[in-house]
Amino acid sequence: MLNQIDLSRTDLNLLVLFEAVVEERHVGQAAGRLSLSPSAVSHGLRRLRRLFNDPLFLRTPKGVVPTERALDLAGPVAEILARARVVIGAAAPFDAAISTRRFTVGAPDGVSAVFLLPLLAELRRHGPGIDISVRQILPPRAVTTTDSVWEPVLADIEARAMDIAVVPADKVPARFTSRMLYEEDFVITMRAGHPFGEDPTLDAFCRMQHLVVSLTGDAHGFVDDALAQQGRSRRVVLTVPNFMVALAIVADTDLIAALPKTLVAMHAQRFNVVSMEAPLPLVHSHIRAIASKAALMDAGVAWLFEMLGRAVTSQISLAGNRLVPPHQTLPRR
């Protein structure tokens, strides 16, 4: 039988210190985050090195770098602390007005750019001490169906790697709770004055140079699937890993891109881009907030789930006034 480690001889606060140094990569910044002195953090690191029999962090001119052992420990330690926080947080009634919890929301940036500002506004009013971490998620390849592409995200929700996911999803397993936040279409987006705006035909579309948002750099997307059904193809000049970068590049080049309509409506004026309906059918999706039913037993997660829905409802109401009517471009500045 294996000998069990006597946890009574181990200060579990060292794991909190370890997490802070891993995330900050700097002893002084970790000390500030934990309201400790740098010397106290250094002392804790010495104890951690003895505990794990490894240097854990190597000093550099700009801070510290974790060793391979520290990187291996980072995931399990984060999971242990996350579970401990849930258990302790559930022990007392959740009060958003005084809570200092941090929640993690996963979403593609084309979705988080829609809900983040209104969500932060709700938090300022109702939960000023609550912090949010946003985890960028995209499918490994653009697809025409959302039935299975988000299965890895569902696994992450169950593992509590994130509290809530906001993704395009048509079907959600019964062990999850979902809330439809808004419907999304894709529009063709380009810089103001782009020649495609004057000749938005399918032939012209295929002649244009295109940008695709792809996490892996795969240049084949759902637009290519739609074109192939009509015996057409296009040239993808560039792939980028997120939608906001796509907006910035489209604004200053002759590239065009199929981007989420709500995202473009919200940020078109800032980037000076215009958009129009595509000359062929593209993906229509339902953006849903998803959480596990087990997680929603946590009053804090349930509260955030409700706040997220409220924030998106207000944002979509405002964005609706800026959406591009079919076959029209946004006004040029």
Side-chain angles (χ1 to χ4, degrees):
M1 182 176 178
L2 294 175
N3 292 327
Q4 292 187 343
I5 295 174
D6 185 0
L7 289 179
S8 66
R9 296 179 179 272
T10 303
D11 183 357
L12 296 183
N13 283 320
L14 291 175
L15 298 185
V16 178
L17 185 147
F18 174 86
E19 178 188 55
V21 178
V22 166
E23 293 180 357
E24 299 293 343
R25 298 290 204 272
H26 194 282
V27 170
Q29 292 174 9
R33 171 171 159 178
L34 297 172
S35 299
L36 296 174
S37 67
S39 62
V41 173
S42 296
H43 177 69
L45 288 177
R46 287 195 292 272
R47 295 174 63 190
L48 280 166
R49 290 177 180 122
R50 290 194 297 270
L51 180 64
F52 291 111
N53 193 30
D54 187 88
L56 295 179
F57 299 97
L58 304 177
R59 291 188 178 277
T60 73
K62 295 184 178 181
V64 295
V65 176
T67 64
E68 286 296 323
R69 176 63 170 152
L71 292 174
D72 289 341
L73 290 167
V77 168
E79 183 177 351
I80 290 168
L81 293 177
R83 292 183 180 276
R85 287 165 180 141
V86 168
V87 170
I88 295 170
F94 176 77
D95 185 346
I98 60 174
S99 175
T100 57
R101 287 181 61 179
R102 175 179 292 274
F103 297 97
T104 300
V105 180
D109 75 298
V111 174
S112 59
V114 171
F115 70 71
L116 263 182
L117 289 180
L119 177 60
L120 290 174
E122 292 289 336
L123 293 181
R124 282 196 300 271
R125 288 192 291 269
H126 305 292
I130 291 174
D131 298 322
I132 300 293
S133 293
V134 177
R135 179 175 170 181
Q136 160 79 333
I137 51 176
L138 282 174
R141 180 181 178 277
V143 293
T144 55
T145 175
T146 57
D147 288 348
S148 61
V149 70
W150 298 109
E151 284 180 0
V153 174
L154 299 181
D156 282 346
I157 296 174
E158 288 188 302
R160 297 308 296 269
M162 62 184 78
D163 298 294
I164 301 169
V166 186
V167 294
D170 294 324
K171 297 179 182 178
V172 179
R175 63 186 184 277
F176 296 91
T177 295
S178 71
R179 174 173 178 170
M180 213 277 279
L181 300 179
Y182 63 99
E183 296 184 54
E184 187 63 280
D185 293 293
F186 278 73
V187 291
I188 307 305
T189 307
M190 69 212 82
R191 63 171 174 79
H194 195 288
F196 181 67
E198 305 300 326
D199 181 28
T201 62
L202 184 57
D203 286 339
F205 181 78
C206 293
R207 290 195 303 269
M208 295 294 126
Q209 296 184 343
H210 294 255
L211 177 152
V212 166
V213 176
S214 168
L215 185 63
T216 63
D218 183 358
H220 186 98
F222 65 84
V223 174
D224 300 283
D225 293 331
L227 286 171
Q229 292 177 3
Q230 301 190 32
R232 303 285 193 123
S233 63
R234 62 174 178 166
R235 178 188 172 194
V236 175
V237 173
L238 178 68
T239 72
V240 296
N242 62 68
F243 290 101
M244 295 302 286
V245 169
L247 268 177
I249 292 177
V250 164
D252 290 324
T253 68
D254 284 334
L255 301 181
I256 67 174
L259 301 177
K261 187 175 185 178
T262 310
L263 172 74
V264 175
M266 290 177 60
H267 299 285
Q269 186 174 9
R270 176 183 305 171
F271 287 96
N272 194 26
V273 297
V274 297
S275 65
M276 59 177 40
E277 300 295 325
L280 73 169
L282 295 183
V283 171
H284 175 82
S285 58
H286 298 84
I287 309 299
R288 301 180 189 275
I290 304 171
S292 70
K293 290 182 176 178
L296 288 174
M297 295 177 67
D298 177 337
V301 175
W303 178 87
L304 182 64
F305 198 79
E306 178 61 30
M307 284 296 103
L308 188 58
R310 182 187 301 179
V312 171
T313 298
S314 65
Q315 180 60 67
I316 296 303
S317 176
L318 291 173
N321 296 325
R322 300 192 294 269
L323 293 180
V324 185
H327 311 301
Q328 295 183 24
T329 61
L330 291 170
R332 297 179 187 172
R333 292 196 300 175

